Amino acid sequence: MNQSRHTLLDVIRGAAVLGILLMNIRLFSEPYAAYFSPLMLSTHSSLGHLWWQLQHLLADQKFMAIFSMLFGASTALICDKRSQAGQSPYGYYIKRLLILLAFGLLHAYLIWHGDILVYYAVCGVIPLLFVRAPAGLTLFCGLAILAVGSINSLTTFAALKQLPEHILFDVIIQHFAHSALINQAELDAFSGSWFEQLVMRAQLAKEFHLSTFPAWGVFRVSGLMLIGLALYRFGFISGYLSRRFYGYFALCAIPVGITMSLAGLWFNHQQQWLFPDYFFRHALWNYWGSVLTACGYMALLAYISLRGWLSRLRDYLSLVGRMALSNYLLQSLLCSVWFYGLGFYANTGAVGAILTIATVWMIQLGLSKWWLMHYPSGPAELLWRTLSGR
């Protein structure tokens, strides 16, 4: 029974690490601003805009949400195991977070500025504080933290809307240039030498850590980690609930969540992607809708697993999930070489992005199976555990 539940966690984790590339591919292949608005894409076509909208509805923040919730669930799993062995989990877990922080900083500044590991390492203290708390309280606090993030976005939006247009433009240039405007310096840097890329990568990573994190990331990641911890305690992520429950939950949560994301997309189209509306106010539809969709995706995977469907695919996803950190870093290495090393940055289009995703997925599915035939876990996981003293 424990084995099947752990396998389900690996399946969900594997689906998340593959699925997150559906969105990360845009940050790899396009200017930063293109992540938030289709008007900022380097090439404009009907297919490109359709691909952007599908990414937004089906993937944007959904797989990141799953990863964040799984981090909260893993906190409970690790701490429970340590406690059952008669060992205090706290010192060991803090050490794991510090090592993860080092991994994240190296990844962000040397390989890819869109790193999420730094966020997880910093926010990972939050679920540790709730690891012994009642599940209901943990869920409430997670939702409350997400709500604080929403209020912060609405407050920022209201303040920006009160500014005269010429002052608003200056504020955009000073604080939101990468997020709201196509930056020629960014295009030139990531099409240039490795050193030019390094300088721009450091600038974007610094912005991601010092501006985006306190304004958005700390609320989003911390809240989702607590929700994941609560869902694990309730048995939702761990596979304790009935097949019927998972089926009905997925049937309801996925359409409702995607419809909420679609509402935000519709409002943005109506206002022709006006800043700050699309960046702060209308983004909240997907901010909340993605949580429902992510939970629906996890329920769907649990339902499929309990039904015994797609066993071969689940086996491969489980292998990818067992070395999720290694596969996450491998995606960055492969995509960085392809887009920044071989010159496909801002020169790919929808078809090229889809083919790149498919190629990376095939490499990761095959390589994960081969590696785990010879070693107990992925290389990054082995290093992480060794440095943690496990």
Side-chain angles (χ1 to χ4, degrees):
M1 192 69 175
N2 284 337
Q3 181 60 37
S4 66
R5 288 199 297 273
H6 293 171
T7 300
L8 175 59
L9 286 172
D10 288 333
V11 168
I12 296 173
R13 193 176 288 112
V17 77
L18 295 181
I20 205 167
L21 184 58
L22 290 169
M23 281 313 302
N24 285 349
I25 195 73
R26 196 187 299 161
L27 275 179
F28 280 116
S29 63
E30 295 282 349
Y32 194 83
Y35 188 95
F36 305 102
S37 169
L39 301 185
M40 303 299 169
L41 291 169
S42 56
T43 58
H44 297 282
S45 67
S46 297
L47 180 60
H49 279 255
L50 175 61
W51 170 238
W52 194 100
Q53 292 167 24
L54 288 174
Q55 286 175 296
H56 179 80
L57 294 176
L58 300 178
D60 185 23
Q61 296 192 47
K62 283 74 174 177
F63 294 103
M64 180 265 194
I66 294 176
F67 256 135
S68 302
M69 288 188 278
L70 287 176
F71 200 101
S74 296
T75 302
L77 189 61
I78 292 170
C79 290
D80 289 352
K81 285 184 176 180
R82 299 282 294 186
S83 297
Q84 289 167 7
Q87 301 170 324
S88 174
Y90 302 105
Y92 169 74
Y93 196 80
I94 292 296
K95 191 173 183 180
R96 280 176 59 89
L97 292 180
L98 291 173
I99 294 168
L100 184 64
L101 177 62
F103 283 174
L105 290 172
L106 290 173
H107 179 230
Y109 288 90
L110 296 181
I111 301 174
W112 184 54
H113 54 275
D115 168 80
I116 198 65
L117 300 180
V118 170
Y119 282 27
Y120 287 170
V122 176
C123 294
V125 176
I126 303 301
L128 185 63
L129 298 176
F130 284 80
V131 76
R132 297 289 175 252
L137 175 63
T138 304
L139 179 61
F140 173 80
C141 290
L143 292 170
I145 291 173
L146 285 180
V148 172
S150 297
I151 294 170
N152 185 58
S153 291
L154 289 174
T155 302
T156 304
F157 167 76
L160 291 173
K161 289 296 282 188
Q162 292 178 359
L163 297 176
E165 188 172 336
H166 67 284
I167 295 180
L168 176 59
F169 183 77
D170 290 339
V171 171
I172 292 173
I173 294 297
Q174 293 177 21
H175 301 286
F176 303 102
H178 290 298
S179 303
L181 300 170
I182 293 181
N183 190 316
Q184 188 60 45
E186 183 182 347
L187 289 170
D188 293 341
F190 286 123
S191 300
S193 67
W194 184 83
F195 182 76
E196 291 172 314
Q197 295 172 23
L198 181 66
V199 173
M200 179 56 64
R201 185 178 298 113
Q203 181 181 343
L204 291 173
K206 181 180 177 182
E207 180 182 317
F208 201 48
H209 294 154
L210 300 183
S211 298
T212 307
F213 178 72
W216 175 85
V218 65
F219 306 109
R220 178 73 177 177
V221 175
S222 299
L224 287 169
M225 284 181 175
L226 290 186
I227 291 172
L229 174 56
L231 291 179
Y232 179 80
R233 294 299 190 203
F234 284 131
F236 181 87
I237 293 179
S238 51
Y240 276 113
L241 306 182
S242 70
R243 186 172 65 191
R244 175 173 294 187
F245 172 84
Y246 286 120
Y248 281 124
F249 188 93
L251 192 63
C252 295
I254 295 174
V256 171
I258 291 177
T259 299
M260 292 175 67
S261 300
L262 182 62
L265 193 60
W266 184 82
F267 283 123
N268 284 331
H269 279 298
Q270 289 296 107
Q271 291 193 328
Q272 298 182 342
W273 299 89
L274 179 68
F275 187 91
D277 300 63
Y278 78 81
F279 195 78
F280 290 103
R281 183 172 63 167
H282 298 158
L284 292 178
W285 288 97
N286 191 50
Y287 180 91
W288 287 100
S290 61
V291 178
L292 265 180
T293 305
C295 290
Y297 285 169
M298 289 192 291
L300 180 60
L301 288 169
Y303 179 78
I304 291 171
S305 296
L306 291 174
R307 293 285 299 189
W309 293 345
L310 304 174
S311 59
R312 186 173 178 83
L313 175 60
R314 285 188 288 111
D315 288 343
Y316 272 99
L317 288 176
S318 177
L319 295 173
V320 172
R322 283 175 56 188
M323 46 187 292
L325 177 59
S326 298
N327 277 311
Y328 173 73
L329 297 173
L330 179 60
Q331 284 180 359
S332 295
L333 289 171
L334 292 174
C335 290
S336 293
V337 169
W338 180 254
F339 291 110
Y340 309 140
L342 299 180
F344 289 95
Y345 174 75
N347 189 30
T348 299
V351 174
I354 293 170
L355 290 175
T356 303
I357 291 170
T359 301
V360 172
W361 282 356
M362 294 302 294
I363 291 172
Q364 294 191 294
L365 289 168
L367 191 57
S368 296
K369 182 177 181 179
W370 176 85
W371 181 272
L372 291 173
M373 289 174 62
H374 299 86
Y375 304 97
S377 59
E381 288 79 6
L382 286 171
L383 180 59
W384 194 9
R385 290 173 183 172
T386 301
L387 294 175
S388 300
R390 183 175 175 179

